[in-house]
Each structure stands twice: as structure tokens, then as C-alpha cells.
Amino acid sequence: MTIEIWGIIAAAAVVIALIIFIVSRSAKGKPAGELKAPAEPQPTAEEVLPAKEEPAAAEAEPTPAELEPVPPEEPPAAPPKEPVRESLIPGVEVDETAEREAAAKLKEARRDRKLKRLRQGLAPTRGGLIAKIGNLFKEKKELDPAIVEELEETLITADIGAKTTEWLVSMVKAALDKNELQDPQAVWEFLKEEVRRVLSVDDVPLALNSDKPYTIMVVGVNGVGKTTTIGKLATTWADQGKKVVLAAADTFRAAAVNQLEIWGRRANAEVVKSKEGADPSSVVFDAIKKAKESDADIVIADTAGRLHTKTPLMEELKKVKRVMTKAHDAAPHQVLLVLDATTGQNAIQQVAMFKETLDISGLVLTKLDGTAKGGVIIGICHEHKLPIRYIGIGEAKEDLRTFEVDDFIEALFFKESNSEDA
């Protein structure tokens, strides 16, 4: 047992000696600076104590321009695209370009139908005036001095009036003297443009929305179509959403009141009337009062129409106009004179008589479809410088038309050989 212990001690001693030998050899192979690790430096007082924080430099206030948000750069604009409206049918796109073209064609087709009807309505006048002038030029291959006399004779027989005939002939003669007209066709075109200019008198439409109620006084002799004209106007405006009140101020004719009531029912318009022989001005006053109470848009006053040469009639009309002004400051906004085209030059005289009494603002020329004397429209506009507001070319409501100069000239000077419908 003792021997084993000593053996273990001897072995341990050998191991310890071997370790010491190895360590000493390793220490001899290293540089001197590496034999001992340098001591860490002791911190100074300044490093131990917390350093005083110096105040930070004040930041500069931002300028208003710097505060403004910088807008992002916009991408380049894409080329415009044709707007495509969503179709009512799923999966089908609406081509608005094609739609606009279709609408334009439809508008043109409607205008063609309208012109066709106007040509038909003016056929008697065209045959009485324009056809005669056309035949005169058709027979002439070249211009000669005799054409002026023949033109004058043709115009006189067409009922356009002596003053207007003299004026037109003088215009043609002056143009011929200046060699401005080289052939009969040039004379035709010259007359066409002069008539267009004469008829282009204040062709501004009625300003129905300028005041409420908008008041219209309609005058004219018996039999020219006053009441029918009023009824057609009321029906047309009612179809446009206007509320109309009619004043039956022709209290001397029971038939006129009855006729106005029939038109009032068609137009859903209230008719203000009184007993036969009552004061017409009181009827008009009540009608304007009723229109204000019911918030109506338009008041149309029918008036008596005995012979225009009768002084009492003219005095009565002046009183009606004064009372309308008392009832409503701006009334009447329009004074329309209705004329019958079949009376020819007598219509020119009627305008002169009514102008002496009232401030006529516009004319309505009826029954153009039943007379060859429609050329009187040229004489009226030339002598009295009054605008044509409406023309009547038939019995239907649509046959009372707003007067449009270009359409009228195109229909009036239409050459029959161009179409079979005229």
C-alpha cells in the first residue's frame, strides 16, 4: 500500500516538472513587451465627473416657402381619349362620336321635313311672285334694258306694294348700271339677298323668361285669326312647361270667348272672362292679377277687332294697354298685330293704322298657305320696319311657326324643278 502511494506521488512530480519546463520555454520565446500586460490607465477626475452639456445651437426658423408642401411631379398628360359612356347593355360600349353624328343626321332630317312643309305652305305665294320672276329670267339669255320694266310689272302684280316695288327696281337698275349683274341668274340672286335683308328685322325671339308674368297683347281686325293664333301659342308654350292665363277681352263677341275657352282647355290654361259687353280693360286687369296669384308664366290678352278705321276701337285698345301697365309695370311686353295674308296690300294699310295708336312690337302673318298675295310680307317689312314673329301656313297647331328668315327665303325662292314635293 505504501509503495503505491509513493509511485503516484513520483508520477505527479514528473508531470509538474514537465509543465514548469514547458511554460518556461514558452516565456523565453516571447518579446519583452508581451511578457506583462500593460495596466489599464486610471480615469481622470474630468472623465469621472459628468461633462457639462453645452446648449445646442438654436435652429433657424423655417421660411414659409420651406413650410409649403412640395407637390409631387405630375406625370406627362396622356393624349385625350374619346369619352366612352357606359351602355345600358352590359358589355357594350357607347361610341359618342357615332352618337353625335347620328344626332346631327337626325337634326338635319327634321329640318328637311320642316322645310318641305314650309315649301308646301308657301307654294301659292311662290307661284304668284317668285315663279313669275323666275319665268321672266328663264326667257332671257342675256340682260337688256327691257328686263327692268318687265320686273317692275311683275312685282306690282304680286301685291308687295308700290313703294317696295319702286325700291327693288331701283336697286336692280343701279346694279345693272354699275355692271354688277352680268346675267339673269345674277339678278335672281341679287333679288333673293335683298329680300333676305329686308325681312331680317330684329329677328330676336321673344324673351319669355325675362319677367313673370310675361304679358302679350294681341290686336288685329276681325277675321284675321287672332283667337286661333292665341290658342296655338298657348298650346305650344304649355307643351314647353309654361303656365298660361288667357284674357278674353273681346267682350263684344260671345263666339270669341267660346273659341278662347276651347283653346284654353286644350292648353290647360285658365281663361279669365266677364259678361258680354263688359269693360275689356277690367278683364285684362283681372287676368294679370290671377296670373300673379297662380304664379303663371304668361298672360295673353285677346282684344276686340272691329274695323281698324273705327276711332272707338283704337281708343279702347289704348285704354287696355294703359290698364295692363297699371296691373304690371312692364306690361305689355309684346304687342302683336295679326294680319291676314289674303288681304294683300290692305294688310300694309292696317299696320299703318295700328302703329298710330299702339307701339306694335311684332307681326303675325296668317293664311299664307291660301293665297298668292304672300309677297305682301316683303312690303310690310320694307315700309314699316317691323319684325315678323310668326307665320301661319295651315290649320294644325304646328303650322303656326316662328318666323326664321333663312328657312323662309330658302322655301320662297325654291325652284320647283328641284323637287317634286314643293
Side-chain angles (χ1 to χ4, degrees):
M1 182 69 179
T2 304
I3 296 172
E4 290 178 356
I5 292 172
W6 281 109
I8 292 170
I9 293 172
V14 171
V15 171
I16 291 170
L18 182 60
I19 291 171
I20 292 172
F21 174 77
I22 293 170
V23 170
S24 63
R25 290 294 301 263
S26 299
K28 289 181 181 181
K30 291 182 178 181
E34 295 182 1
L35 295 178
K36 186 177 181 181
E40 293 183 0
Q42 295 295 322
T44 62
E46 289 79 0
E47 293 173 337
V48 173
L49 294 175
K52 292 183 178 180
E53 295 183 0
E54 296 184 3
E59 294 182 2
E61 290 292 331
T63 63
E66 293 173 338
L67 292 175
E68 290 287 336
V70 179
E73 294 185 4
E74 296 184 359
K81 296 181 179 180
E82 284 291 333
V84 177
R85 191 156 42 83
E86 186 177 350
S87 172
L88 296 177
I89 304 175
V92 178
E93 292 185 348
V94 176
D95 187 342
E96 293 220 358
T97 301
E99 193 176 60
R100 285 194 297 270
E101 292 176 354
K105 291 179 179 178
L106 179 61
K107 184 178 180 180
E108 186 66 24
R110 287 175 177 170
R111 183 173 183 272
D112 288 343
R113 288 196 298 270
K114 184 178 177 182
L115 280 175
K116 178 180 178 180
R117 180 69 188 95
L118 184 58
R119 287 196 296 266
Q120 292 171 342
L122 295 180
T125 296
R126 191 166 55 249
L129 171 63
I130 304 303
K132 290 180 180 179
I133 298 176
N135 291 334
L136 173 64
F137 293 146
K138 188 185 298 183
E139 297 170 0
K140 300 284 185 181
K141 299 300 181 182
E142 296 180 359
L143 292 177
D144 58 61
I147 196 173
V148 176
E149 296 180 1
E150 294 175 9
L151 176 62
E152 182 175 10
E153 181 180 347
T154 301
L155 293 175
I156 288 176
T157 59
D159 273 291
I160 71 170
K163 290 183 179 179
T164 304
T165 296
E166 183 180 353
W167 166 73
L168 273 175
V169 170
S170 65
M171 294 291 289
V172 172
K173 187 176 180 181
L176 288 172
D177 291 342
K178 296 177 183 178
N179 292 323
E180 294 177 353
L181 305 176
Q182 303 299 326
D183 53 59
Q185 181 61 30
V187 179
W188 171 273
E189 293 297 332
F190 178 82
L191 287 172
K192 181 178 178 180
E193 292 309 312
E194 286 301 318
V195 172
R196 186 196 305 273
R197 187 171 62 84
V198 169
L199 296 180
S200 300
V201 181
D202 184 28
D203 55 354
V204 179
L206 302 185
L208 298 177
N209 298 321
S210 62
D211 196 9
K212 194 172 184 178
Y214 190 86
T215 55
I216 302 171
M217 180 180 179
V218 181
V219 299
V221 302
N222 283 338
V224 296
K226 288 195 312 298
T227 306
T228 300
T229 296
I230 291 171
K232 290 180 178 180
L233 288 175
T235 306
T236 299
W237 290 333
D239 290 344
Q240 296 172 1
K242 302 291 185 184
K243 187 175 183 179
V244 183
V245 171
L246 303 178
D250 186 358
T251 58
F252 297 95
R253 286 195 315 123
V257 178
N258 294 336
Q259 187 181 3
L260 200 63
E261 287 182 312
I262 293 172
W263 280 108
R265 288 193 292 270
R266 292 177 183 176
N268 194 27
E270 183 171 359
V271 178
V272 177
K273 62 180 182 177
S274 185
K275 62 182 180 179
E276 187 174 350
D279 183 6
S281 58
S282 66
V283 177
V284 173
F285 185 90
D286 291 342
I288 294 177
K289 181 180 177 182
K290 175 65 69 174
K292 290 182 176 181
E293 292 173 352
S294 61
D295 197 31
D297 301 292
I298 302 169
V299 175
I300 311 176
D302 192 10
T303 60
R306 296 180 302 281
L307 291 177
H308 58 283
T309 55
K310 297 294 185 181
T311 302
L313 170 62
M314 294 303 174
E315 292 302 318
E316 177 186 293
L317 293 177
K318 286 195 290 186
K319 181 182 177 182
V320 170
K321 184 175 183 294
R322 288 196 303 269
V323 172
M324 290 182 75
T325 304
K326 289 181 180 179
H328 190 63
D329 290 339
H333 298 88
Q334 293 285 330
V335 179
L336 299 181
L337 173 59
V338 182
L339 302 167
D340 182 350
T342 63
T343 61
Q345 294 185 50
N346 187 259
I348 300 177
Q349 297 174 6
Q350 291 178 29
V351 176
M353 293 294 296
F354 277 94
K355 276 181 64 178
E356 291 179 2
T357 303
L358 301 167
D359 295 325
I360 304 298
S361 59
L363 305 174
V364 181
L365 196 62
T366 64
K367 309 179 185 179
L368 277 169
D369 58 316
T371 180
K373 300 178 179 180
V376 69
I377 191 173
I378 303 170
I380 293 172
C381 290
H382 174 251
E383 292 191 31
H384 297 291
K385 306 297 186 295
L386 288 173
I388 306 294
R389 295 296 186 188
Y390 298 94
I391 56 173
I393 58 171
E395 295 295 328
K397 179 196 72 174
E398 297 78 13
D399 289 332
L400 181 68
R401 300 191 172 198
T402 300
F403 181 72
E404 297 175 355
V405 176
D406 290 338
D407 288 352
F408 185 85
I409 291 296
E410 184 172 339
L412 184 65
F413 282 82
F414 182 77
K415 294 183 178 180
E416 304 290 348
S417 59
N418 292 350
S419 176
E420 297 178 358
D421 59 44

